[in-house]
Amino acid sequence: GFFMEITWFGHSCFRLTERSMATLVCDPYDHKSIGYDALKLKADIVTVSHDAAGHNNLEAVKGYSHAITGPGEFEIGGVFITGVQTDDASARKSKDVSRNTLYVFDYDGITVAHLGDLRQVPSQAEVEALGTVNVALVPVGGGNSLNAAKAAEVVSLLEPNLVIPMHYSTPDAKVQLDSLNKFLKEMGLGANAVENQASLKVTRSSLPDETHVIALDYQRD
């Protein structure tokens, strides 16, 4: 039957695929500055949350016809994409902050939100503008993005069915970030409460009622 598959390649980079729809890659990184292996991905669509080496390496993706680098509404290959700019005025004043766009991808009624380098907990109005989020790809490791406590707060606002943490420290990451365990503690979960899996296949019927955290293993090509 119908399912979409979500695969993590480390940092904030994911691939979303569904047999009859466009394949999408979010936030491809430059491995020289971020760590992990060099990405060798193929996709129809690439989205970039903000203009930084950890998130904007379009060269790492082959074959795409669309690169989306900011807010707007798009329909490509059966996928509806909504880009929402999130940074508040105070963040814009500091020079080192590039504006963040979070994206909601709608694959035939299953919605996936990629929060990019979100740093502030969004307002109630911003959350309502996103609509229902089934799967939230959430930065949890601090750095220039949500720390564990803020990430947990965002999760409770969004109330997604599934949370996939991203942007945290791993053995292959060169960037200084906090551990996944810190976020799991904030969510009231033990380190063993989360099953690691290679990729996530999502169908409408497989979505749990209560928010469930799934840690993916990052894939090497």
Side-chain angles (χ1 to χ4, degrees), residues 183-196:
F183 170 68
L184 296 179
K185 277 203 191 82
E186 289 287 344
M187 294 290 292
L189 297 167
N192 302 329
V194 171
E195 69 239 58
N196 276 53

Side-chain angles (χ1 to χ4, degrees), residues 19-100:
R19 230 180 16 219
S20 60
M21 297 184 193
T23 293
L24 192 142
V25 167
C26 318
D27 280 18
Y29 51 76
D30 169 30
H31 75 108
K32 289 187 198 72
S33 48
I34 299 302
Y36 300 102
D37 290 346
L39 292 169
K40 297 193 228 27
L41 296 171
K42 275 202 174 89
D44 305 303
I45 309 165
V46 188
T47 62
V48 171
S49 63
H50 65 296
D51 209 8
H55 305 266
N56 68 356
N57 185 21
L58 293 173
E59 275 77 84
V61 186
K62 300 281 174 277
Y64 64 88
S65 52
H66 296 81
I68 300 174
T69 58
E73 294 191 0
F74 314 87
E75 185 194 352
I76 301 161
V79 184
F80 287 88
I81 301 171
T82 307
V84 179
Q85 199 160 316
T86 59
D87 284 344
D88 60 8
S90 66
R92 273 186 218 136
K93 285 195 192 84
S94 80
K95 288 283 175 282
D96 65 327
V97 176
S98 40
R99 292 171 151 198
N100 182 62

Side-chain angles (χ1 to χ4, degrees), residues 7-214:
T7 311
W8 186 41
F9 291 89
H11 209 50
S12 305
C13 182
F14 290 86
R15 182 179 61 207
L16 279 53
T17 54
E18 197 280 325
R19 230 180 16 219
S20 60
M21 297 184 193
T23 293
L24 192 142
V25 167
C26 318
D27 280 18
Y29 51 76
D30 169 30
H31 75 108
K32 289 187 198 72
S33 48
I34 299 302
Y36 300 102
D37 290 346
L39 292 169
K40 297 193 228 27
L41 296 171
K42 275 202 174 89
D44 305 303
I45 309 165
V46 188
T47 62
V48 171
S49 63
H50 65 296
D51 209 8
H55 305 266
N56 68 356
N57 185 21
L58 293 173
E59 275 77 84
V61 186
K62 300 281 174 277
Y64 64 88
S65 52
H66 296 81
I68 300 174
T69 58
E73 294 191 0
F74 314 87
E75 185 194 352
I76 301 161
V79 184
F80 287 88
I81 301 171
T82 307
V84 179
Q85 199 160 316
T86 59
D87 284 344
D88 60 8
S90 66
R92 273 186 218 136
K93 285 195 192 84
S94 80
K95 288 283 175 282
D96 65 327
V97 176
S98 40
R99 292 171 151 198
N100 182 62
T101 306
L102 66 78
Y103 296 98
V104 180
F105 309 113
D106 184 333
Y107 274 77
D108 200 26
I110 295 175
T111 53
V112 179
H114 186 289
L115 302 187
D117 245 9
L118 186 67
R119 343 166 144 237
Q120 305 293 340
V121 175
S123 66
Q124 198 58 51
E126 284 174 320
V127 168
E128 277 159 22
L130 297 182
T132 303
V133 173
N134 298 133
V135 184
L137 312 176
V138 183
V140 302
N144 289 332
S145 198
L146 297 173
N147 63 20
K150 280 185 178 173
E153 199 179 326
V154 169
V155 168
S156 66
L157 275 173
L158 288 178
E159 299 186 323
N161 306 85
L162 296 169
V163 175
I164 301 178
M166 63 180 185
H167 200 265
Y168 55 84
S169 97
T170 68
D172 286 290
K174 284 184 188 168
V175 192
Q176 279 302 121
L177 294 168
D178 296 333
S179 72
L180 175 60
N181 280 350
K182 208 166 174 183
F183 170 68
L184 296 179
K185 277 203 191 82
E186 289 287 344
M187 294 290 292
L189 297 167
N192 302 329
V194 171
E195 69 239 58
N196 276 53
Q197 50 195 70
S199 71
L200 176 65
K201 293 184 171 67
V202 187
T203 61
R204 273 202 210 109
S205 57
S206 73
L207 292 168
D209 296 333
E210 297 288 307
T211 298
H212 190 75
V213 178
I214 292 181

